[in-house]
Amino acid sequence: MKTPGSPRNLLLAALAAIITTLTWSAPATADDEATPTPASSLTTAFPIPETDLVMDVPETWGEIPADISDQVDADSLFNLDIAEEDTLVELQSGPDESFAVMLISKEGPLYGTPVQELKTVERGLKISRWVTWVIGSGMEITRPTQAMDIEGTTAATMSFLSGQENNHTVMTMTYIVIGEETIFIVDAAPKGTDAVRVLDEMRNSIRLE
């Protein structure tokens, strides 16, 4: 059972596990010459399942294959409960691009607004950054919490660095409240790659269908 108002720490952990699994065989990393995804390729309108929202995605992107997703057993790895029906879609970049991923799920009711919720997460990340600075861990805020302008919704997003120094991942958390539903989005891409920009454009394209 999810705790209302709490961030989806499980999704973040599951995302990290997926990234770890796929990085071993990913064709490009932050240190490789990644194939850029031109902004003009963000032309495929993708309806977000079980919502009235749509976003633009590159033609090269698609859903994470089931055989990869099945390698992440969230219950056994993290001893937490996640309802399979709450996962709406898991998207990943094309095979010739820097590996990037976006997970979209339903969330329980928030205690506050999306901005308030993410500011709470942001404070926790800053504390984590202070505690782990000696070993060069991430958790550095790269884009503070900001409201998103999506007609008919209340939404906010924030980004931070995760991982070891010189091998950082840019992670972004987004809450969208539409009617009685809360949508939670978490995405990640290697720092310094074109995929970071592509994910920004995907999020910025979210709108009512």
Side-chain angles (χ1 to χ4, degrees), residues 123-184:
R123 285 194 292 272
L125 291 172
K126 288 177 179 177
I127 293 174
S128 174
R129 173 69 177 175
W130 178 77
V131 170
T132 61
W133 71 271
V134 174
I135 60 174
S137 281
M139 301 304 180
E140 177 184 353
I141 304 297
T142 59
R143 182 172 55 199
T145 299
Q146 54 185 277
M148 298 177 68
D149 183 16
I150 304 175
E151 184 179 359
T153 76
T154 304
T157 188
M158 59 88 68
S159 299
F160 60 97
L161 295 181
S162 179
Q164 296 298 310
E165 191 172 3
N166 299 321
N167 192 29
H168 280 138
T169 296
V170 179
M171 301 189 70
T172 300
M173 297 175 62
T174 304
Y175 279 121
I176 303 174
V177 177
I178 175 170
E180 299 298 319
E181 292 281 358
T182 301
I183 306 302
F184 179 73

Side-chain angles (χ1 to χ4, degrees), residues 34-51:
T35 303
T37 302
S40 60
S41 69
L42 298 181
T43 56
T44 304
F46 181 86
I48 298 177
E50 299 182 32
T51 76

Side-chain angles (χ1 to χ4, degrees), residues 70-171:
D70 290 346
Q71 294 181 38
V72 183
D73 186 344
D75 286 339
S76 63
L77 282 174
F78 310 110
N79 196 28
L80 293 170
D81 182 37
I82 183 170
E84 184 177 344
E85 62 269 20
D86 284 350
T87 301
L88 300 180
V89 67
E90 302 174 346
L91 298 171
Q92 70 172 37
S93 55
D96 297 323
E97 301 162 2
S98 299
F99 177 69
V101 63
M102 174 182 282
L103 306 185
I104 305 176
S105 71
K106 289 185 287 188
E107 174 65 278
L110 303 180
Y111 283 131
T113 66
V115 166
Q116 291 169 334
E117 287 284 327
L118 289 182
K119 281 188 176 295
T120 299
V121 175
E122 192 177 321
R123 285 194 292 272
L125 291 172
K126 288 177 179 177
I127 293 174
S128 174
R129 173 69 177 175
W130 178 77
V131 170
T132 61
W133 71 271
V134 174
I135 60 174
S137 281
M139 301 304 180
E140 177 184 353
I141 304 297
T142 59
R143 182 172 55 199
T145 299
Q146 54 185 277
M148 298 177 68
D149 183 16
I150 304 175
E151 184 179 359
T153 76
T154 304
T157 188
M158 59 88 68
S159 299
F160 60 97
L161 295 181
S162 179
Q164 296 298 310
E165 191 172 3
N166 299 321
N167 192 29
H168 280 138
T169 296
V170 179
M171 301 189 70

